[in-house]
Amino acid sequence: MLAAAAAALGFLRVSALDVKTPEELFVENGTEARLPCTFSSREVISSLASISWSFQPEGATTSISFFYYSQGNAFPGKEAPFKNRISWAGDLNKKDASVTIANVQFRDNGTYFCDVKNPPDIVVKPGEIRLRVVQRDNLPAFPTGMVVAIAIGVTLVVLLLVAVIVCVVRKKNSKKHYSGYVLGSFQRGCLDNVLLQTMWLYLFWNLEWHRIK
């Protein structure tokens, strides 16, 4: 009974690590690529913590391990295609498990997996990065959709500020002609209009954002 309780307690202590990586990364051919990987853990980073990286080429169904880090030591793979090109770029104390690849080639296109272990924390799902190697000077520009979304957002904020200013100005002017209940009703109506405009502006921005994503 005690053994079962102890086992159950040990099971309950196991929690999942949260590993974060960008979904996609564009890198110019012949340059150095930093594969970002960070993680969060409820446990203190111990000497048992380890990092492993693996790579699945485009069109392949299996992955190959090319880097391992444990107890302050990095063990880059010595086999092709990453021989002498992998470097440790992370810091476990900062919960950073990143690595760099020197002289990126087109054959490096594929999916990279960042697996972190910090017993008793375990990772349920490794982080994944889709690496896209492009010709020099051919990196994609800042996404047009994002630019449009930002522009719309800024415009909506400006319009909202204008509405608030108009409301304040009208409130000041109304004091010369109204008082008491009538003035209070006017102020509430003005604020209601601003809130209504804010709601419609937000709905419009939200619809545009989902349309251009």
Side-chain angles (χ1 to χ4, degrees), residues 53-57 62-64 66 82 107-112:
W53 279 87
S54 56
F55 168 64
Q56 182 173 319
T62 58
S63 60
I64 57 174
F66 66 88
F82 300 108
R107 65 172 181 252
D108 297 330
N109 278 310
T111 304
Y112 292 77

Side-chain angles (χ1 to χ4, degrees), residues 32-39 45-46 49-53 66-77 82 84-102 113-117:
E32 182 179 85
R34 185 176 188 273
L35 305 182
C37 178
T38 58
F39 64 94
I45 306 301
S46 69
S50 64
I51 310 294
S52 61
W53 279 87
F66 66 88
F67 183 86
Y68 183 75
Y69 183 92
S70 178
Q71 298 182 346
N73 297 310
F75 303 94
F82 300 108
N84 300 325
R85 294 198 295 136
I86 305 298
S87 301
W88 171 245
D91 185 341
L92 288 188
N93 292 325
K94 297 180 180 180
K95 298 180 180 178
D96 186 348
S98 306
V99 296
T100 59
I101 305 177
F113 302 91
C114 176
D115 192 3
V116 182
K117 290 182 173 59

Side-chain angles (χ1 to χ4, degrees), residues 169-187:
V169 172
R170 288 182 176 178
K171 173 184 175 182
K172 290 183 179 180
N173 293 335
S174 66
K175 290 182 178 180
K176 300 178 181 179
H177 307 286
Y178 303 97
S179 60
Y181 176 78
V182 175
L183 177 59
S185 298
F186 174 82
Q187 293 174 357

Side-chain angles (χ1 to χ4, degrees), residues 137-153:
D137 302 322
N138 281 343
L139 282 177
F142 196 72
T144 303
M146 185 67 70
V147 174
V148 173
I150 293 175
I152 293 175

Side-chain angles (χ1 to χ4, degrees), residues 27-49:
V27 180
E28 291 182 335
N29 180 42
T31 63
E32 182 179 85
R34 185 176 188 273
L35 305 182
C37 178
T38 58
F39 64 94
S40 59
S41 174
R42 296 180 182 178
E43 300 293 329
V44 176
I45 306 301
S46 69
S47 59
L48 298 177

